[in-house]
Amino acid sequence: MEIINFTPYSALLGGALIGLSAAVLLLFKGRIAGISGIAGGVILPEKGDIPWRILFLVGLVVGGVLYQLLGISPGVESIQPVTGKVGLILAGLLVGIGSALGTGCTSGHGICGLARRSFRSLVATLIFMLTAMITVFIVRHLVGGA
């Protein structure tokens, strides 16, 4: 396996910023920075707290765009999906269903839950990782994808 564009400093900075944003959200809003929960709260609001959720989601997109525009990205010109629109929609629906069944996503469980020493988040994160490994194996070795 060859690692392309290995950028430990930007990865370290990105991880620190994700941790900082999760801590700030927990400290000031008392909320966990789980992206599926934040997005779900925009679609089905419970407490009328939509503005901070929208700002958080916009910040995710704007942060990525700024990173690219400032020219500090590690040589990623474009990302091309290896499937069509139907495949992307199906994948998105499966991720959404999985997040609902797992009562959270990788950011909520993997970052925030593990930091809070949640056993449930540990189990969920291990299942996420195992599923990802099985998926890569199937796609690369059985289906013949890239």
Side-chain angles (χ1 to χ4, degrees), residues 114-136:
L114 291 179
R116 294 180 302 122
R117 297 187 180 131
S118 166
F119 180 73
R120 184 173 71 118
S121 290
L122 174 63
V123 171
T125 303
L126 290 173
I127 290 171
F128 295 152
M129 297 302 294
L130 180 62
T131 303
M133 289 182 234
I134 291 169
T135 302
V136 168

Side-chain angles (χ1 to χ4, degrees), residues 81-146:
V82 294
T83 186
K85 289 180 183 177
V86 173
L88 291 174
I89 291 169
L90 181 61
L93 288 172
L94 289 173
V95 168
I97 292 168
S99 294
L101 290 174
T103 61
C105 59
T106 53
S107 55
H109 285 299
I111 296 170
C112 301
L114 291 179
R116 294 180 302 122
R117 297 187 180 131
S118 166
F119 180 73
R120 184 173 71 118
S121 290
L122 174 63
V123 171
T125 303
L126 290 173
I127 290 171
F128 295 152
M129 297 302 294
L130 180 62
T131 303
M133 289 182 234
I134 291 169
T135 302
V136 168
F137 178 80
I138 290 170
V139 169
R140 289 196 173 208
H141 301 289
L142 301 180
V143 178

Side-chain angles (χ1 to χ4, degrees), residues 27-51:
L27 181 66
F28 289 107
K29 294 296 282 179
R31 304 303 301 252
I32 300 299
I35 306 307
S36 63
I38 292 171
V42 171
I43 297 168
L44 300 170
E46 292 180 12
K47 302 173 188 162
D49 57 352
I50 294 178

Side-chain angles (χ1 to χ4, degrees), residues 67-90:
Y67 186 74
Q68 188 74 25
L69 289 176
L70 293 174
I72 53 178
S73 63
V76 178
E77 281 74 33
S78 67
I79 298 173
Q80 299 298 323
V82 294
T83 186
K85 289 180 183 177
V86 173
L88 291 174
I89 291 169
L90 181 61

